[in-house]
Amino acid sequence: MATYEYPRPALTVDCVVFGLDDEGLKVLLIRRGLAPFKGRWALPGGFVRVEETLDEAALRELREETGLKKIFLEQLYTFSAVKRDPRERVISVAYYALIKLSDHRVQAATDADDAAWFRLDAVPELAFDHAEILEVARDRLKGKVRYQPIGFELLPEKFKLSQLQELYEQILGRELDKRNFRKKFLSFGIIQELEEREQGLPGRPARLHRFDAKAYRKLLEQGFHFEL
Amino acid sequence: MATYEYPRPALTVDCVVFGLDDEGLKVLLIRRGLAPFKGRWALPGGFVRVEETLDEAALRELREETGLKKIFLEQLYTFSAVKRDPRERVISVAYYALIKLSDHRVQAATDADDAAWFRLDAVPELAFDHAEILEVARDRLKGKVRYQPIGFELLPEKFKLSQLQELYEQILGRELDKRNFRKKFLSFGIIQELEEREQGLPGRPARLHRFDAKAYRKLLEQGFHFEL
DNA sequence: ATATATTTGTGTTGGTTTGACACGCTAAGG
DNA sequence: CCTTAGCGTGTCAAACCAACACAAATATAT
């Protein structure tokens, strides 16, 4: 029990978790077991504890939901409409996360039937103001991906350039020219060409690449500006 | 008095208020009258009431501090370090505001001696984590000014192109070429050339201009993308 | 074995945008 | 009337961007 001189809003974090698989870009949702909005899909999230930062709260929730550590996570926006939670005043700090669906299978999330991945064009009706939060997250991702190399957070360690291009097309919502895309991206010097090639698929085998974080940091220090 | 099952952090808003005068870009600070950090300069701000949104809280604080309405105001980031307030757990949602120092004299703020404008290169030591908040605000402004025409919020209704250019130079922290700047900015078609000219100063009188919000909105709908 | 389907990888060109750069014009002030 | 201060303007070379098609390497089907 805690007592204060003035009433305080409750504080939660909600996470928009993006993942990529062969069907495209997806978002992780959880089915609510309790009122309000019982049975509705919602963003994973929960209350902030008084002894943790918001980042810690978001990471904790994500660990609890997905079993993952080392996730790319950024604060998105703080939502504060007075009636956004019908029970009482709840202010929510939204985060968005990018995870490599390819590497780690997301555990609790996928085999429990109360959590699932949804394609961004097939998201069901959401609880609270979560549709709005998701919208803001998509816009942020779309904006950010153009001037920060965060797309790699969604791809496996080693990837084909065609995967990278498809990812960008998904996020930006438009098609890109293959030759121009390759030319431009390679010219940055932030991805390494590996000798390895992907085999077992029809078509000419693709050379694999890897994001070179070290080279990127070095370029950043020299005032390099990544763009598109 | 309010009682809750679990302890809750307190919630505040803090505002980074930018203004422009003939000495350059400035930020509004308030001298604290109470502990902690008594006597130190700090960002204006205060506690969020339980029946208002964060935007409303920020606007209310700004009205109380500066007497201004119709201010450009945007949420910046939510700061949550556990020890950021030595008294108790306080989470602060930071906003930044741009105001036309030229038009409206800021009342309570300027004649009270417990509030003052500081040049960005001469900001005193600040209370709490406000130095960090200010830093984030500067970065945001610097980033945002390049792809959204928010600089006008700092200028008078009618302005000279040289003022606009100086503003951009201040925010971006580098010099710009006069001819290229004019060419580019005028090519967007979002500022109107007025017939009026500024008089009374030495040198050839400058033609005045005005931001054309209507034209800007129209261009936006057509997918226009402002940049630099 | 051969043919077919699939996916990768590669260059050029014309148009557009950017960045560098210098001087005459018009007013105020002495 | 002369000086000083600030405004307003155009060109050119270099860099960048968008559009465009076909051969190479593999898997699969027949």
Side-chain angles (χ1 to χ4, degrees), chain A residues 63-67 105-115:
Chain A
R63 247 196 335 270
E64 289 171 10
E65 303 291 357
T66 66
R105 276 289 68 145
V106 174
Q107 297 138 3
T110 40
D111 49 31
D113 76 346
D114 57 350

Side-chain angles (χ1 to χ4, degrees), chain A residues 76-224:
Chain A
L76 180 62
Y77 194 78
T78 300
F79 293 83
S80 67
V82 174
K83 298 286 182 190
R84 56 178 298 282
D85 188 312
R87 292 166 296 185
E88 64 160 337
R89 189 73 206 287
V90 180
I91 287 176
S92 180
V93 183
Y95 278 76
Y96 71 105
L98 306 180
I99 76 175
K100 297 186 199 296
L101 248 183
S102 47
D103 294 11
H104 334 72
R105 276 289 68 145
V106 174
Q107 297 138 3
T110 40
D111 49 31
D113 76 346
D114 57 350
W117 291 94
F118 289 86
R119 288 194 51 146
L120 285 178
D121 55 8
V123 172
E125 206 178 353
L126 297 182
F128 305 106
D129 56 355
H130 289 188
E132 183 190 351
I133 297 178
L134 174 56
E135 201 52 36
V136 174
R138 290 185 67 168
D139 286 347
R140 177 80 129 255
L141 183 57
K142 188 170 173 177
K144 196 132 197 175
V145 87
R146 297 192 48 215
Y147 61 93
Q148 252 182 263
I150 57 176
F152 303 110
E153 304 293 339
L154 289 159
L155 292 176
E157 190 69 22
K158 300 171 182 179
F159 53 85
K160 304 184 283 183
L161 282 182
S162 58
Q163 289 177 282
L164 185 63
Q165 181 177 345
E166 270 168 46
L167 170 59
Y168 272 78
E169 289 178 340
Q170 295 253 350
I171 294 176
L172 297 176
R174 65 193 160 95
E175 302 207 326
L176 302 171
D177 178 85
K178 181 165 58 158
R179 278 175 286 192
N180 294 337
F181 180 82
R182 288 172 168 252
K183 211 185 316 169
K184 180 145 200 182
F185 226 115
L186 290 173
S187 76
F188 294 144
I190 61 174
I191 54 182
Q192 298 177 317
E193 292 196 329
L194 305 177
E195 285 312 313
E196 241 171 304
R197 277 147 216 279
E198 183 170 67
Q199 307 237 327
L201 293 172
R204 177 171 171 177
R207 163 167 246 147
L208 293 179
H209 294 74
R210 181 197 286 154
F211 175 54
D212 188 344
K214 201 175 296 178
Y216 175 60
R217 272 192 301 268
K218 195 163 293 177
L219 285 170
L220 267 193
E221 285 166 15
Q222 295 164 21
F224 160 80

Side-chain angles (χ1 to χ4, degrees), chain B residues 38-223:
Chain B
K38 183 171 175 177
R40 277 274 187 89
W41 293 94
L43 298 172
F47 288 92
V48 177
R49 298 181 185 163
V50 81
E51 79 292 348
E52 67 187 355
T53 64
L54 292 168
D55 287 26
E56 286 162 0
L59 279 172
R60 175 176 54 73
E61 292 291 343
L62 276 186
R63 246 196 335 268
E64 290 171 10
E65 303 292 357
T66 67
L68 290 181
K69 293 183 158 197
K70 292 221 273 176
I71 292 171
F72 175 91
L73 185 73
E74 270 191 7
Q75 198 187 104
L76 181 61
Y77 194 78
T78 300
F79 293 83
S80 67
V82 173
K83 299 285 182 193
R84 57 179 296 284
D85 188 312
R87 292 166 296 183
E88 65 160 335
R89 188 73 208 287
V90 179
I91 288 176
S92 180
V93 183
Y95 278 76
Y96 71 105
L98 305 180
I99 76 176
K100 297 186 200 295
L101 247 183
S102 47
D103 294 12
H104 334 73
R105 276 289 72 140
V106 174
Q107 297 138 3
T110 39
D111 48 31
D113 77 343
D114 57 348
W117 292 94
F118 289 85
R119 287 194 51 145
L120 285 179
D121 55 8
V123 172
E125 206 178 354
L126 298 182
F128 304 106
D129 55 356
H130 289 186
E132 183 191 351
I133 297 178
L134 175 57
E135 200 53 35
V136 174
R138 290 185 68 168
D139 285 348
R140 177 79 132 257
L141 183 59
K142 189 169 171 178
K144 195 131 197 175
V145 87
R146 296 193 47 217
Y147 61 93
Q148 252 183 261
I150 58 176
F152 303 109
E153 303 293 339
L154 289 159
L155 291 177
E157 189 69 22
K158 300 171 181 178
F159 52 85
K160 303 184 283 181
L161 282 182
S162 59
Q163 288 177 282
L164 186 61
Q165 181 177 346
E166 269 168 47
L167 170 59
Y168 272 79
E169 289 177 341
Q170 294 254 350
I171 294 176
L172 297 177
R174 64 191 160 96
E175 301 209 325
L176 303 171
D177 179 85
K178 181 164 58 157
R179 279 174 289 191
N180 294 336
F181 180 82
R182 289 171 167 252
K183 212 186 315 170
K184 180 145 201 184
F185 225 115
L186 290 173
S187 77
F188 294 145
I190 61 174
I191 54 181
Q192 300 176 317
E193 292 196 327
L194 304 177
E195 284 313 313
E196 241 171 305
R197 278 146 216 280
E198 184 172 66
Q199 308 237 328
L201 293 171
R204 179 171 168 178
R207 164 165 244 149
L208 293 179
H209 293 74
R210 180 198 287 154
F211 175 54
D212 187 345
K214 202 174 295 177
Y216 175 60
R217 272 193 302 269
K218 196 163 292 177
L219 285 169
L220 267 193
E221 286 166 15
Q222 296 164 22

